[in-house]
Amino acid sequence: MSDSANSNFGFSTSQHNIRTANPLPRAVLRTNNYLLLDGEWKFALDTDDTGLRDLWYLAHPYTSTANWPGSVEEHLQRNQPDTPGWRDKVVVWYEREFPLPERDDDDLNSLFQLTFGACGYETRVWLNGFLLSTIEGEEVHYGEYTSFSFELREEHLRPVNRLTVRIVDTMDAETPRGKQESHVYKRGGIWYQTYTGAVRSVWLEMVERNRLRSRVGVDSVIEDQLVRFNLTTRIHDPGVYTLRLQVFDRVAPTPQPLATSDFTLRLETGQRQQRVVMELAGARLWEPGSPTLYRLVAQLIDSEGYAAQIETHFGLRKIESRGTYVYLNNKPIYLDGILYQPGTATYEEMQRHMHAMQALGCNLVRVHIAGVDPRIYNLADELGLLLWVEVPSPHSSTPRSRENHRAELLRMLALIESHPSVVIWSLYNEDWGAQDIATNPETRRYIIDMYHYLHINHPQFLVVDNDGWQHISQEGRLKSDLLTAHVYTPDVQRWAELLDRMIQGDLDNVAVLPLVIGDPFFYGRQKPLVISEWGGFGFADYGGPQNAEERAERIRQFKQELRKRPMAGDVYTQATNIEDERNGLLDPHTGELSVPAGLLASQPPSTAAGTQSGEPAA
């Protein structure tokens, strides 16, 4: 297959450039070029799962094709339109050829790296019949929400190369599924069709043998104007290296950095993380309305002076849960949020959604137990939108499901921890995958351990243990930075009554289940209260007006009641229609609003009845 339609830039190092628009689904940029392998691939359904036994990775007569990226479900529908979708387990194979790009003489310090933006849930990859192992040493990669990479060995490369991919997914309830159906939760209502397989781009690029990987963690201490960077080195040739960090102003770019720091590292073969601290005197803070970003250029320089470089942006901000309210950069802020379920939306559609949600008056988007294109986090950074991120949940509570959940969380953290827009993480939602949270000490222990892990290793985030209800109390201490509740009622008077019960400390009669389990917990306004799901007007199961004009008026009334009380924020459900849930406020394709702009923005405290001193500004 010719790759002329799929390649973007040649591999000549003379064409190295820094792109202001990132075409690949990742947050960190490299100053190299790449070969995008998207497009038409050969495709086969392995109905009886005999491909491994029959050595399909060596030779197989493919009779169908499929476009990559794209879901298994789309590819099966295209090639077998008269058959139902998979119901228990699916095994599919993809294959394509690509010519090896030409290399310059100064590429001797480099090697080819193959990266999948996201693929899974279970992925094996062969190059010219040789099974590849990821940089982390996995012959089988598990997970379908984050990227993974392979370094290609010279002895496996040919002038024309054959790439073979085997993907497996099941309805297994122990794997992180989000709202995709499983053996436990069947499609319908709030549960959706599976969407799996080759879901993001795949590309080939040249990377240095000794380099920084495309992942950067950022944590700022704004009082001291300090920034902590967490970087990952990948080394083939042990020795002494210099890690050089330069910070540039993005608003008024100049050739001179605002700050430069060098760090000497003695590095062994393999991969390791290193945290370093820089002072950024006079730095402006990142926040909604003023999303100041800086550009980081990071170089790993060897003893010969050769520099391997990556770059990304970052912002300085601080998020805190303090008493009744959430504080951003030491100022109270009310979270005007909306629930966002992108489903099968394209990257271009998600871009429109983000702009539309901000136009609705939201300063927070809760990305609901789904993996999204990493460029969306970049866009939120640029727009000044706060993000509430959630781990796609398993659907059963077992030791294996918790192991899978932890692995997915760590993979997501490694690729998202640089974004100032990401301020809140949820471990679970409505105890999906933790159904025994009230009765099983092991389930609670795991959640408590991960809560503490995040606080110690990622202090730049607020953490919610189990969003909606059944938060964990241990010795009277809530293991969640927010006390959240999912409250659905179409009646304004009932809504006001439930809000009053919450602020008065009634935690047992406001949601489907008690808000707190475990040891006794006495609210006393020691945690911010957030109604993290409400409304749903237009979805039959939740009630409320179907008409857009009536729906808008009902939303106004509900928002007014919220701001009369010492609440920290709310999250309206939801942004777009998706499958059976017909409660969206914007068109899923165009982003056009069906309700007035600014509808979800809170009224200023000075005009809201019952405003109390110290309440955060809208």
Side-chain angles (χ1 to χ4, degrees):
M1 177 189 298
S2 170
D3 76 318
S4 58
N6 300 319
S7 61
N8 288 283
F9 296 88
F11 264 72
S12 169
T13 54
S14 63
Q15 297 182 27
H16 283 187
N17 66 314
I18 298 174
R19 305 175 184 84
T20 55
N22 182 13
L24 298 177
R26 62 180 175 190
V28 176
L29 300 180
R30 290 190 175 277
T31 53
N32 61 357
N33 294 298
Y34 60 86
L35 177 68
L36 194 62
L37 298 179
D38 292 354
E40 188 176 83
W41 287 54
K42 298 174 183 177
F43 172 79
L45 172 65
D46 191 354
T47 305
D48 299 318
D49 194 9
T50 61
L52 282 177
R53 183 194 66 196
D54 296 339
L55 309 181
W56 284 17
Y57 51 87
L58 295 180
H60 181 70
Y62 292 89
T63 58
S64 300
T65 60
N67 286 322
W68 190 309
S71 71
V72 163
E73 291 76 14
E74 293 170 346
H75 300 156
L76 292 178
Q77 180 62 31
R78 173 185 173 184
N79 289 287
Q80 300 179 344
D82 298 328
T83 60
W86 64 279
R87 301 256 55 87
D88 179 59
K89 177 180 178 179
V90 65
V91 182
V92 291
W93 293 70
Y94 296 83
E95 189 168 280
R96 68 156 291 168
E97 292 183 344
F98 64 91
L100 193 66
E102 294 183 3
R103 288 182 278 187
D104 291 343
D105 291 340
D106 57 357
D107 285 334
L108 297 178
N109 289 326
S110 300
L111 50 83
F112 284 110
Q113 177 174 280
L114 178 71
T115 299
F116 290 77
C119 184
Y121 181 71
E122 176 186 325
T123 307
R124 284 180 171 89
V125 181
W126 291 264
L127 179 68
N128 300 318
F130 294 98
L131 179 64
L132 302 181
S133 294
T134 66
I135 293 177
E136 285 70 30
E138 310 163 305
E139 290 188 347
V140 182
H141 175 77
Y142 295 97
E144 61 181 334
Y145 305 105
T146 56
S147 64
F148 53 99
S149 299
F150 304 87
E151 293 177 348
L152 305 186
R153 296 167 58 177
E154 289 292 330
E155 60 266 31
H156 294 164
L157 294 169
R158 307 286 184 266
V160 176
N161 296 273
R162 177 170 47 87
L163 189 62
T164 309
V165 182
R166 177 183 182 265
I167 303 172
V168 181
D169 205 351
T170 71
M171 294 284 183
D172 179 11
E174 292 181 313
T175 63
R177 311 196 60 79
K179 290 182 74 172
Q180 298 181 50
E181 67 172 313
S182 69
H183 291 311
V184 172
Y185 300 120
K186 293 300 181 180
R187 183 182 179 186
I190 66 169
W191 302 104
Y192 308 147
Q193 177 183 334
T194 57
Y195 183 78
T196 188
V199 295
R200 283 190 210 140
S201 293
V202 55
W203 63 93
L204 182 72
E205 62 187 324
M206 290 207 71
V207 297
E208 295 84 358
R209 285 171 50 84
N210 309 297
R211 65 191 183 279
L212 297 168
R213 294 205 64 191
S214 298
R215 50 189 66 181
V216 179
V218 180
D219 175 24
S220 53
V221 183
I222 64 173
E223 289 83 359
D224 297 331
Q225 297 182 317
L226 295 178
V227 187
R228 295 195 290 265
F229 295 105
N230 194 37
L231 296 110
T232 302
T233 58
R234 173 65 174 169
I235 300 297
H236 285 267
D237 306 305
V240 176
Y241 291 81
T242 299
L243 173 62
R244 176 169 298 162
L245 304 185
Q246 295 178 302
V247 175
F248 295 84
D249 194 329
R250 292 188 66 189
V251 177
T254 63
Q256 296 302 317
L258 299 176
T260 300
S261 291
D262 284 3
F263 307 90
T264 300
L265 301 176
R266 183 174 296 277
L267 299 174
E268 301 298 328
T269 301
Q271 181 169 297
R272 59 167 286 188
Q273 290 186 337
Q274 179 66 50
R275 175 165 288 190
V276 295
V277 179
M278 288 184 68
E279 182 177 5
L280 199 56
R284 302 178 300 276
L285 302 183
W286 183 98
E287 58 191 16
S290 181
T292 301
L293 294 171
Y294 294 92
R295 183 166 67 96
L296 171 70
V297 175
Q299 295 177 321
L300 189 66
I301 306 170
D302 66 18
S303 58
E304 302 297 321
Y306 183 86
Q309 178 174 308
I310 60 173
E311 74 165 81
T312 191
H313 67 246
F314 70 95
L316 282 74
R317 64 107 180 105
K318 177 184 179 182
I319 192 81
E320 284 184 291
S321 163
R322 192 194 310 166
T324 308
Y325 299 115
V326 171
Y327 287 75
L328 181 65
N329 299 334
N330 294 323
K331 297 179 293 185
I333 182 173
Y334 187 86
L335 303 176
D336 283 309
I338 191 167
L339 191 76
Y340 179 45
Q341 305 191 85
T344 59
T346 65
Y347 171 59
E348 290 72 23
E349 288 170 338
M350 285 190 283
Q351 287 179 295
R352 299 183 198 117
H353 299 165
M354 297 293 284
H355 285 281
M357 290 185 286
Q358 189 171 50
L360 278 169
C362 297
N363 60 15
L364 172 81
V365 174
R366 181 177 162 215
V367 183
H368 193 34
I369 52 177
V372 297
D373 190 305
R375 290 171 290 185
I376 291 302
Y377 305 115
N378 286 357
L379 180 58
D381 293 341
E382 299 275 358
L383 294 177
L385 267 174
L386 304 172
L387 295 182
W388 182 334
V389 177
E390 304 175 326
V391 186
S393 59
H395 289 177
S396 65
S397 183
T398 67
R400 180 172 173 265
S401 78
R402 291 189 282 275
E403 181 181 334
N404 290 336
H405 179 275
R406 184 179 186 276
E408 202 68 67
L409 169 63
L410 296 182
R411 284 191 289 264
M412 294 177 69
L413 280 167
L415 298 174
I416 298 176
E417 61 174 334
S418 64
H419 297 282
S421 59
V422 178
V423 293
I424 304 171
W425 280 78
S426 281
L427 296 175
Y428 286 91
N429 176 76
E430 294 185 355
D431 54 62
W432 300 338
Q435 294 91 334
D436 56 358
I437 189 172
T439 59
N440 189 346
E442 291 184 4
T443 299
R444 292 197 298 275
R445 170 51 57 192
Y446 166 72
I447 295 173
I448 292 171
D449 287 347
M450 295 314 297
Y451 172 79
H452 289 155
Y453 170 86
L454 285 168
H455 267 232
I456 293 170
N457 293 281
H458 301 279
Q460 68 269 41
F461 305 127
L462 300 182
V463 183
V464 176
D465 55 349
N466 177 47
D467 186 50
W469 48 69
Q470 297 207 107
H471 298 281
I472 300 172
S473 170
Q474 185 183 47
E475 299 177 349
R477 298 175 181 176
L478 200 68
K479 297 304 176 179
S480 178
D481 294 324
L482 304 174
L483 180 57
T484 68
H486 295 177
V487 181
Y488 287 105
T489 176
D491 182 75
V492 177
Q493 289 186 338
R494 175 64 174 164
W495 174 249
E497 176 189 340
L498 292 172
L499 295 181
D500 285 337
R501 286 186 178 182
M502 284 188 66
I503 63 175
Q504 292 164 7
D506 181 354
L507 307 182
D508 295 325
N509 302 291
V510 294
V512 173
L513 293 168
L515 293 192
V516 179
I517 51 93
D519 297 330
F521 175 76
F522 303 97
Y523 168 53
R525 299 193 180 182
Q526 60 180 298
K527 289 284 183 177
L529 286 175
V530 175
I531 308 298
S532 51
E533 286 187 27
W534 67 275
F537 305 141
F539 180 43
D541 289 2
Y542 298 156
Q546 301 284 326
N547 177 275
E549 185 174 336
E550 294 178 358
R551 185 185 306 182
E553 179 57 31
R554 190 69 56 87
I555 291 172
R556 289 191 190 97
Q557 295 171 0
F558 274 53
K559 289 287 285 191
Q560 287 171 1
E561 293 297 332
L562 281 162
R563 292 313 306 272
K564 291 177 183 178
R565 295 164 175 83
M567 311 294 292
D570 67 87
V571 179
Y572 180 79
T573 305
Q574 64 182 332
T576 66
N577 294 340
I578 179 168
E579 297 202 18
D580 292 348
E581 292 192 80
R582 318 301 295 177
N583 51 358
L585 303 182
L586 57 101
D587 186 278
H589 302 297
T590 67
E592 181 180 357
L593 300 181
S594 61
V595 295
L599 179 64
L600 293 180
S602 296
Q603 294 181 0
S606 59
T607 62
T611 296
Q612 301 188 10
S613 176
E615 183 176 350

PDB file of all heavy atoms in Angstrom, residues 49 78 109 191 264 351 437 507 548 559-560 593:
ATOM      1  N   ASP A  49     -11.129 -17.029  17.039  1.00  0.00           N
ATOM      2  CA  ASP A  49      -9.886 -16.732  17.761  1.00  0.00           C
ATOM      3  C   ASP A  49      -8.816 -17.779  17.460  1.00  0.00           C
ATOM      4  O   ASP A  49      -8.189 -18.351  18.363  1.00  0.00           O
ATOM      5  CB  ASP A  49     -10.155 -16.653  19.263  1.00  0.00           C
ATOM      6  CG  ASP A  49      -8.984 -16.010  20.027  1.00  0.00           C
ATOM      7  OD1 ASP A  49      -8.072 -15.482  19.368  1.00  0.00           O
ATOM      8  OD2 ASP A  49      -8.995 -16.050  21.274  1.00  0.00           O
ATOM      9  N   ARG A  78     -19.336  -2.091   8.622  1.00  0.00           N
ATOM     10  CA  ARG A  78     -19.009  -1.844   7.219  1.00  0.00           C
ATOM     11  C   ARG A  78     -18.792  -3.146   6.457  1.00  0.00           C
ATOM     12  O   ARG A  78     -19.240  -3.290   5.316  1.00  0.00           O
ATOM     13  CB  ARG A  78     -17.736  -0.984   7.130  1.00  0.00           C
ATOM     14  CG  ARG A  78     -17.224  -0.813   5.700  1.00  0.00           C
ATOM     15  CD  ARG A  78     -15.903  -0.068   5.673  1.00  0.00           C
ATOM     16  NE  ARG A  78     -15.332  -0.034   4.332  1.00  0.00           N
ATOM     17  CZ  ARG A  78     -14.150   0.480   4.032  1.00  0.00           C
ATOM     18  NH1 ARG A  78     -13.413   1.019   4.994  1.00  0.00           N
ATOM     19  NH2 ARG A  78     -13.699   0.464   2.801  1.00  0.00           N
ATOM     20  N   ASN A 109      22.279   8.736  15.926  1.00  0.00           N
ATOM     21  CA  ASN A 109      21.953   8.730  17.349  1.00  0.00           C
ATOM     22  C   ASN A 109      20.478   8.497  17.608  1.00  0.00           C
ATOM     23  O   ASN A 109      20.035   8.612  18.748  1.00  0.00           O
ATOM     24  CB  ASN A 109      22.362  10.064  17.994  1.00  0.00           C
ATOM     25  CG  ASN A 109      23.864  10.215  18.110  1.00  0.00           C
ATOM     26  OD1 ASN A 109      24.564   9.231  18.322  1.00  0.00           O
ATOM     27  ND2 ASN A 109      24.353  11.437  17.959  1.00  0.00           N
ATOM     28  N   TRP A 191     -26.557   3.464  29.642  1.00  0.00           N
ATOM     29  CA  TRP A 191     -25.442   2.599  29.229  1.00  0.00           C
ATOM     30  C   TRP A 191     -25.384   2.559  27.709  1.00  0.00           C
ATOM     31  O   TRP A 191     -26.400   2.444  27.028  1.00  0.00           O
ATOM     32  CB  TRP A 191     -25.605   1.190  29.821  1.00  0.00           C
ATOM     33  CG  TRP A 191     -25.689   1.252  31.316  1.00  0.00           C
ATOM     34  CD1 TRP A 191     -26.798   1.115  32.096  1.00  0.00           C
ATOM     35  CD2 TRP A 191     -24.607   1.530  32.208  1.00  0.00           C
ATOM     36  NE1 TRP A 191     -26.474   1.279  33.410  1.00  0.00           N
ATOM     37  CE2 TRP A 191     -25.147   1.540  33.521  1.00  0.00           C
ATOM     38  CE3 TRP A 191     -23.244   1.768  32.032  1.00  0.00           C
ATOM     39  CZ2 TRP A 191     -24.364   1.782  34.644  1.00  0.00           C
ATOM     40  CZ3 TRP A 191     -22.467   2.003  33.162  1.00  0.00           C
ATOM     41  CH2 TRP A 191     -23.021   2.001  34.440  1.00  0.00           C
ATOM     42  N   THR A 264      22.487  18.331  36.527  1.00  0.00           N
ATOM     43  CA  THR A 264      23.373  17.244  36.130  1.00  0.00           C
ATOM     44  C   THR A 264      22.805  15.923  36.637  1.00  0.00           C
ATOM     45  O   THR A 264      22.500  15.775  37.831  1.00  0.00           O
ATOM     46  CB  THR A 264      24.783  17.455  36.696  1.00  0.00           C
ATOM     47  OG1 THR A 264      25.300  18.698  36.199  1.00  0.00           O
ATOM     48  CG2 THR A 264      25.707  16.314  36.280  1.00  0.00           C
ATOM     49  N   GLN A 351     -13.848  19.893  19.783  1.00  0.00           N
ATOM     50  CA  GLN A 351     -13.413  21.280  19.829  1.00  0.00           C
ATOM     51  C   GLN A 351     -14.622  22.214  19.866  1.00  0.00           C
ATOM     52  O   GLN A 351     -14.664  23.175  20.650  1.00  0.00           O
ATOM     53  CB  GLN A 351     -12.550  21.603  18.614  1.00  0.00           C
ATOM     54  CG  GLN A 351     -11.156  20.989  18.646  1.00  0.00           C
ATOM     55  CD  GLN A 351     -10.380  21.337  17.389  1.00  0.00           C
ATOM     56  OE1 GLN A 351     -10.729  20.927  16.282  1.00  0.00           O
ATOM     57  NE2 GLN A 351      -9.329  22.109  17.546  1.00  0.00           N
ATOM     58  N   ILE A 437     -18.855  -0.939  48.328  1.00  0.00           N
ATOM     59  CA  ILE A 437     -18.093   0.066  49.074  1.00  0.00           C
ATOM     60  C   ILE A 437     -18.565   0.190  50.512  1.00  0.00           C
ATOM     61  O   ILE A 437     -17.776   0.457  51.426  1.00  0.00           O
ATOM     62  CB  ILE A 437     -18.159   1.428  48.338  1.00  0.00           C
ATOM     63  CG1 ILE A 437     -17.188   2.428  48.967  1.00  0.00           C
ATOM     64  CG2 ILE A 437     -19.573   1.979  48.319  1.00  0.00           C
ATOM     65  CD1 ILE A 437     -17.063   3.712  48.174  1.00  0.00           C
ATOM     66  N   LEU A 507     -27.327  14.046  55.553  1.00  0.00           N
ATOM     67  CA  LEU A 507     -26.599  13.358  54.485  1.00  0.00           C
ATOM     68  C   LEU A 507     -27.254  12.039  54.101  1.00  0.00           C
ATOM     69  O   LEU A 507     -26.705  11.310  53.275  1.00  0.00           O
ATOM     70  CB  LEU A 507     -25.155  13.098  54.925  1.00  0.00           C
ATOM     71  CG  LEU A 507     -24.375  14.329  55.424  1.00  0.00           C
ATOM     72  CD1 LEU A 507     -22.942  13.943  55.770  1.00  0.00           C
ATOM     73  CD2 LEU A 507     -24.395  15.450  54.395  1.00  0.00           C
ATOM     74  N   ALA A 548     -37.366  23.470  24.660  1.00  0.00           N
ATOM     75  CA  ALA A 548     -36.103  24.147  24.947  1.00  0.00           C
ATOM     76  C   ALA A 548     -36.308  25.418  25.760  1.00  0.00           C
ATOM     77  O   ALA A 548     -35.537  25.714  26.683  1.00  0.00           O
ATOM     78  CB  ALA A 548     -35.376  24.460  23.645  1.00  0.00           C
ATOM     79  N   LYS A 559     -30.665  27.212  39.158  1.00  0.00           N
ATOM     80  CA  LYS A 559     -29.407  27.905  39.431  1.00  0.00           C
ATOM     81  C   LYS A 559     -29.601  29.001  40.480  1.00  0.00           C
ATOM     82  O   LYS A 559     -28.732  29.202  41.348  1.00  0.00           O
ATOM     83  CB  LYS A 559     -28.841  28.509  38.146  1.00  0.00           C
ATOM     84  CG  LYS A 559     -28.306  27.501  37.141  1.00  0.00           C
ATOM     85  CD  LYS A 559     -26.990  26.869  37.581  1.00  0.00           C
ATOM     86  CE  LYS A 559     -25.821  27.782  37.443  1.00  0.00           C
ATOM     87  NZ  LYS A 559     -24.520  27.068  37.614  1.00  0.00           N
ATOM     88  N   GLN A 560     -30.707  29.689  40.448  1.00  0.00           N
ATOM     89  CA  GLN A 560     -30.976  30.723  41.438  1.00  0.00           C
ATOM     90  C   GLN A 560     -31.039  30.127  42.842  1.00  0.00           C
ATOM     91  O   GLN A 560     -30.515  30.705  43.801  1.00  0.00           O
ATOM     92  CB  GLN A 560     -32.283  31.441  41.097  1.00  0.00           C
ATOM     93  CG  GLN A 560     -32.168  32.372  39.891  1.00  0.00           C
ATOM     94  CD  GLN A 560     -33.517  32.900  39.435  1.00  0.00           C
ATOM     95  OE1 GLN A 560     -34.554  32.596  40.034  1.00  0.00           O
ATOM     96  NE2 GLN A 560     -33.520  33.688  38.368  1.00  0.00           N
ATOM     97  N   LEU A 593     -26.003  25.990  20.256  1.00  0.00           N
ATOM     98  CA  LEU A 593     -26.755  25.929  21.500  1.00  0.00           C
ATOM     99  C   LEU A 593     -28.253  25.902  21.222  1.00  0.00           C
ATOM    100  O   LEU A 593     -28.749  26.595  20.340  1.00  0.00           O
ATOM    101  CB  LEU A 593     -26.435  27.136  22.383  1.00  0.00           C
ATOM    102  CG  LEU A 593     -24.972  27.331  22.825  1.00  0.00           C
ATOM    103  CD1 LEU A 593     -24.845  28.555  23.722  1.00  0.00           C
ATOM    104  CD2 LEU A 593     -24.445  26.102  23.534  1.00  0.00           C
TER     105      LEU A 593
END
